[in-house]
Amino acid sequence: MPKIILAANTDWFIYNFRYALIHKLREQGFDIVLLSPPGEFAGRLQEAGFRWLPWMLNRRSVAPWMELVSLLDLVRVYRREQPDLVHHHTIKAVMYGSLAAGWTSIPAVVNSISGRGYVFQGADWMACATRAAISPLYRQVMQRAASAVIFENQADRQYFLEHGYISPSRTWLIEGVGADPQRYAPTPEPHGPVIILMAARTLWDKGVGIFVEAARILQERLQVRMVLAGGPDPGNPASLTPNMLRAWHREGVIEWWGWQHDMERIYAQAHIVALPTMYGEGVPTSLIEAAACSRPVIASDVPGCRSIVRHAHNGLLVPPNDASALACAIELLVLDPARRMKMGAAGRQMVLERFTHEKINTATLQVYQHVLEAVKIG
């Protein structure tokens, strides 16, 4: 069977978002190699029996010599391993991995674009400068014959097509990474004050500041608990500091529960799940998982969130960067338990129809088979 390398900029990404996929690939008989910078999740992947290799990558670096070291380290790994297919996740892995695959004659390349984020949607000078710098490289790395680019929502796919990054024939649409409907199963609402949960890395870009501001607004109106489940990401410049999160927790404006491994238990404790992200997402996994647990969801009206949240059907969409609108949406659902139940049931059904791990991973495997067949034909 073919050897496949999955590469990402953190071991956390592979463990949290591709765990079900790599299990499916192993069951299918593929030779799987996982590649990322070292972190606390590499050991968990190895304990599960997967082969993991370290990649010398500094996510925050922009120094040319450090970036060159990262690229050459990837070339070294690809030349030694000689995989049949490489699947890159996250921006640096896509760029450097595609270059390294070309230089080492890796036959097939799959790149996943899980949202445009700050670089492609930010309007400040740093975002514009970074976008201008990487755009030519993006166009270069996505033009290989035996390659495919997976987008999680149609808006991102259209953006890349309109800006000439890739031709339509090389694009695939797979909505997120899915959720296990057996693990993330419906549970009754808990007793006590309504809990509004935000489950995400604690980044400004994810809307943590908006969530906190909405919590302050609601303190004057309702008896609710605003809970933030997620940890800082030191490798991301938009990460909040632990001290700031602890200060909000001590103040009582929110409850910070930190990173949680058993998220199904956390969703079961919540009544509503919110994600006031500032920019477009791929398709947010936390919203898929929450919907699978029959929880109504409130999210920013941006690409990706719109894929899983149908306004007034299984949740509510609010304008991004608008704490007042978020507070009003939360208040609406807090005061209407029957509506929460109806929306939660609708969300569960949507996940079963479109967002299960099995559906997403089967579609991903079809992309692999497509590019591998293209190599044989070529």
Side-chain angles (χ1 to χ4, degrees), residues 24-85:
K24 182 178 182 67
L25 293 173
R26 184 165 65 181
E27 290 170 0
Q28 295 281 332
F30 288 93
D31 182 5
I32 306 300
V33 180
L34 309 176
L35 184 64
S36 73
E40 63 176 294
F41 294 91
R44 300 187 189 191
L45 293 167
Q46 291 173 311
E47 288 170 5
F50 293 102
R51 185 165 169 243
W52 170 87
L53 298 175
W55 175 22
M56 296 174 57
L57 173 71
N58 186 326
R59 292 168 57 209
R60 299 192 65 170
S61 167
V62 293
W65 70 271
M66 291 187 69
E67 299 306 283
L68 181 60
V69 167
S70 298
L71 176 57
L72 293 179
D73 189 50
L74 207 54
V75 169
R76 176 187 60 81
V77 173
Y78 284 6
R79 183 170 288 133
R80 185 186 68 221
E81 294 295 325
Q82 285 297 301
D84 300 285
L85 181 148

Side-chain angles (χ1 to χ4, degrees), residues 163-330:
H163 287 78
Y165 291 112
I166 191 169
S167 62
S169 62
R170 295 197 180 101
T171 65
W172 296 68
L173 183 64
I174 300 178
E175 295 181 303
V177 299
D180 180 354
Q182 302 303 315
R183 176 183 176 187
Y184 297 99
T187 56
E189 280 194 346
H191 298 294
V194 173
I195 292 179
I196 295 88
L197 170 69
M198 179 178 176
R201 287 177 296 158
T202 54
L203 308 178
W204 291 110
D205 293 355
K206 292 291 185 182
V208 172
I210 303 301
F211 187 75
V212 172
E213 189 177 343
R216 295 189 189 281
I217 294 171
L218 289 168
Q219 281 180 331
E220 306 297 323
R221 305 182 191 172
L222 298 169
Q223 183 68 28
V224 296
R225 294 170 60 190
M226 301 285 281
V227 172
L228 178 60
D233 182 359
N236 192 310
S239 180
L240 284 83
T241 65
N243 286 341
M244 184 176 296
L245 296 163
R246 292 190 193 103
W248 283 330
H249 183 91
R250 287 193 300 268
E251 182 187 347
V253 64
I254 64 164
E255 299 175 33
W256 179 41
W257 291 2
W259 186 85
Q260 301 289 325
H261 174 69
D262 52 344
M263 281 303 300
E264 64 275 23
R265 178 181 63 85
I266 303 302
Y267 293 123
Q269 296 179 57
H271 299 74
I272 301 164
V273 175
L275 183 66
T277 182
M278 296 173 65
Y279 300 109
E281 303 271 331
V283 177
T285 303
S286 65
L287 297 184
I288 297 175
E289 292 171 348
C293 294
S294 289
R295 294 304 187 254
V297 289
I298 301 173
S300 298
D301 190 3
V302 295
C305 293
R306 289 195 288 261
S307 298
I308 181 64
V309 185
R310 282 178 53 195
H311 185 70
H313 177 68
N314 68 314
L316 299 173
L317 292 168
V318 297
N321 204 28
D322 190 335
S324 178
L326 176 61
C328 288
I330 291 172

Side-chain angles (χ1 to χ4, degrees), residues 324-339:
S324 178
L326 176 61
C328 288
I330 291 172
E331 183 176 22
L332 181 66
L333 293 188
V334 168
L335 298 177
D336 195 343
R339 193 174 191 185

Side-chain angles (χ1 to χ4, degrees), residues 62-123:
V62 293
W65 70 271
M66 291 187 69
E67 299 306 283
L68 181 60
V69 167
S70 298
L71 176 57
L72 293 179
D73 189 50
L74 207 54
V75 169
R76 176 187 60 81
V77 173
Y78 284 6
R79 183 170 288 133
R80 185 186 68 221
E81 294 295 325
Q82 285 297 301
D84 300 285
L85 181 148
V86 287
H87 185 177
H88 305 123
H89 306 77
T90 66
I91 187 169
K92 281 191 176 182
V94 167
M95 290 192 299
Y96 298 166
S98 297
L99 288 172
W103 294 349
T104 56
S105 301
I106 304 302
V109 176
V110 176
N111 291 317
S112 283
I113 306 297
S114 53
R116 284 173 279 159
Y118 165 77
V119 170
F120 287 102
Q121 296 186 113

